[in-house]
Amino acid sequence: MQIRRKCSAAQLLLLVCASSLSAEDLLVTSLPPGRYGGDLVVAERSEPKVLNPVIAVDSLSREVIGLMMADLVHINRESQRTEPALARSVDISEGGRRFIVHLRRGLRFSDGHPFDADDVLFSFQVYLDENIHSPQRDLLIIGGKPVSLTKQDQYTVAFAFAQPYGPGERLFDGFPILPRHLLIGPYKEGKLNKSWGLNMTAGEFAGLGPFRYKEYVPGQRLVVERNPYYWKQDSARQRLPYLNRIIFEYVGNEDAQVLRFQSGDADIISRISAANFETLSKQANGVRRLIDAGPSLEYTFLFFNLNDLSNKSLPQIESKQGWFRDLSFRRAVSMLIDRQSIDRLVYAGRAAPISTHVTPGNKLWASSRVTPVSRSLETARSLLASAGFSWNAGGKLIDGAGRPVGFSIVTNTGNNERLQMATMIQQDLEQAGITVRVVSLEFRSLLDRLMTTFNYEACVLGLASGDVDPGSEMSVWPSDGSTHLWDLSKSGLKSGWQMEIDHLMASQMRSTDRAERKRMYDRVQELIAGNLPIIPLVSPDVLAGAKAKLKNFSPAVLLPYVLWNIEELYWSEQ
Amino acid sequence: MIRFLSRRVLHAFVILLLISVLSFVFFQFAPGSYTDAMRLDARVSAETESAWRTMYGLDQSVLTKYFRWMRSVLRGDFGFSFAYGIPVSSLLWPRIRNTLLLTSVALLVSWSAALGIGALTVVRRSRAVESVIRSSMALLLSIPDLLIALLLLLFALRTGLFPVGGMASLGTAHTVIAHTKDVALHLVLPALALALLSLPLLVRHVQAAVRESMCAPFVQAARAHGIPAGRLWLAYILPAAANPLISLFGYSVGGLLSSSLLVEVIMGWPGLGPLLLESIFSRDVHVVIGTTVLSALFLIAGNLVADLLLYAVDPRIRWEQ
């Protein structure tokens, strides 16, 4: 009898242990409860190309993948700070060299298969594989060495870095965890790059995101459906997401996107021009809600060709580089540009004039010490005069050798705002006697000139940071960065301020002290605003809209602008 | 007949081969490549971009690239799409069906309308009718293609009678009949746009051909013999007018196909047009070449059908063969 009682107690203990082990460690949010049901139709200009996060490069593919997969730590697009996701917690030790990631227990992929440390190890093995060439791989090379992973137990993984990593756990956002049980086969066969194309079936896919792949109709739509195993709950312990399906309709262009939204065929619209935003706002009628989320992380700018052209046989451009390299000339050009008018006329007041690359949309890192540039024709003229320029009888600016000063600005066709900005700059500079020609080129042709042939004089372009952290700008500001557009030739002729930027950017990546990093990045912003390797213009606002019945719709300035909290969206009535 | 047909097929094959070679060569001259945009991605280093170029064979010679592509054509893949990461054939086939559906309906509508309008003006000989038709055709000819498509879209938006683009509504495909009705409703405006684009040219040719055959001596003689109007039209005028119109038919297939690419893009019809446009901009070379060759194939097929019809209708051609 006593033995039997002992057995029963042991069985009970085992049962409790087993149930506690298999219990789902769900993330309970503070979100007030919503209601289940309904579909969400999103009209998109292009269709997603692949659903494989390891090789996806286009933004829409990544956006759709983001709905179906999850990362260890996630950046909240509203607060711009990190929050736990698949990792319940992360312990950082050894001065920022070692991250111990504690995973949530009992979670399941969208096909019902359990998730554990092996999936994490497999995912990072794939991202780091040199034969796969994942675009994310470079982010995992820290201090010249790849991140190394060790499994400590079924739900604990240790990440070791060769040097302290400044952005810390932000690294994990953007590395969706792959289902080992589905992809280990294709990976071993060397076919992982060809897996999860749009020709796959729903059964071939599994993820840890709020939705899972349902179907793709070529050229028409992609449908994802609710993941019944999703690991987040609202405050009433209702499992998220609320919506049944998300339907991405491919409509081809922005005008068609607007028409679909106007006709009610699409529920959400984003990435629209200020002109379309104004039109839609006037017709909103309480049925639709248009939201201006404020300045984005995109910075538009004018820059001059500062590349070393000695091997390029471009004497005409080379002869003008003397002006472009002259800081007084660049400052004068910057002072001549009327950014307020650009904001008012090109963006209908829905942009922010900027004087450095960190826009007001970046809540955490924008420096208050960088002063805004205001237009001053007089100051510009005196700057030019002090740099040896003068004006001829016709009022045209001439340099010390008597050559009239003029250059061409290239920009890309298909982006009306940039073309209008270039035209406005042309008119602004005309007032100081500088002749500007505006040339629009098809985007790839433009990139070819900017990055390969260097056959251009000046260019108006925009870049959008992927994150608010300075780490996301590492390819732009250090002189060896692959997007150091104004001087990709790496001529070795580094100025003092550029060397200082190189040093500061490298140092902030190694520092784990947030205040120290901020100080360093503030100094980078001051150096950029003072030395103008680029002439910052404006940062356009994030403009979006949705049907008024869609609740929790809250566009953010970080990509993806509108679907970042997709699990929280719900319809107020069916 | 078989000799005639085989000779035409052989010509078609040579033309397709030449088109594929020229497309490859011309695409080489286009500045930029698929991987260029990756360099604006903050995550991607120059080394990774270079590795992608090697992976896709973008650093190889034109000749090597062409022969690699030809090998994949023989396998039925038509190359590999860099952007989609799948064989081009699996991108093309579903879209070809949609493009063919649109162009076939537009062809039917435009030719029916052109024959009706053309014949009406010649038969009625009313100055008022003729001037209305002439003015309408001149107006259609002068309006840019883009504007016609946009006006039709605006009409759909304002009236709500037709869907604003796309090919099928969500949640209507419960039965085959419902789905067919839905697709037909979506088809009206793009097909109408295409038909309107080609109508002025067709009407003009139909008028000229009918007028010419009506004035032919054998038609005058038949009329003088008191042959009834119906028989006169069916047995004499239309067969005589058919010859130039059949030749025009072959060309109109090609014309409609090229116009359909534009209409598809504007009206969101999921055919080859949007895919081609996006592939050109992203320099997805195999998709561009595949679409070009397929479009050429349709044009050649249209002309082949026209040749066969001419062979059947015109005894002089049979005699020449």
Side-chain angles (χ1 to χ4, degrees), chain A residues 229-306:
Chain A
Y229 300 101
Y230 191 53
W231 43 273
K232 275 191 190 177
Q233 289 178 325
D234 62 19
S235 56
R237 301 265 171 181
Q238 292 188 113
R239 195 187 283 261
L240 301 176
Y242 301 115
L243 296 166
N244 289 335
R245 297 188 306 170
I246 313 294
I247 298 145
F248 292 92
E249 286 260 25
Y250 169 45
V251 296
N253 55 63
E254 189 185 329
D255 293 328
Q257 212 180 1
V258 171
L259 284 174
R260 294 283 178 102
F261 187 65
Q262 277 178 316
S263 67
D265 291 344
D267 301 318
I268 276 188
I269 193 164
S270 67
R271 301 181 207 212
I272 45 173
S273 65
N276 276 327
F277 184 83
E278 292 302 314
T279 310
L280 288 172
S281 297
K282 284 174 194 156
Q283 302 167 351
N285 292 335
V287 180
R288 289 181 287 270
R289 198 157 48 105
L290 276 297
I291 296 177
D292 180 346
S296 60
L297 297 186
E298 180 186 340
Y299 50 101
T300 55
F301 54 95
L302 169 76
F303 65 98
F304 293 103
N305 185 348
L306 303 179

Side-chain angles (χ1 to χ4, degrees), chain A residues 516-536:
Chain A
E516 192 190 2
R517 290 187 76 211
K518 176 81 170 82
R519 267 197 306 278
M520 287 193 265
Y521 200 48
D522 281 354
R523 176 70 186 143
V524 169
Q525 292 173 59
E526 281 172 46
L527 286 168
I528 290 164
N531 294 286
L532 297 171
I534 62 166
I535 297 173

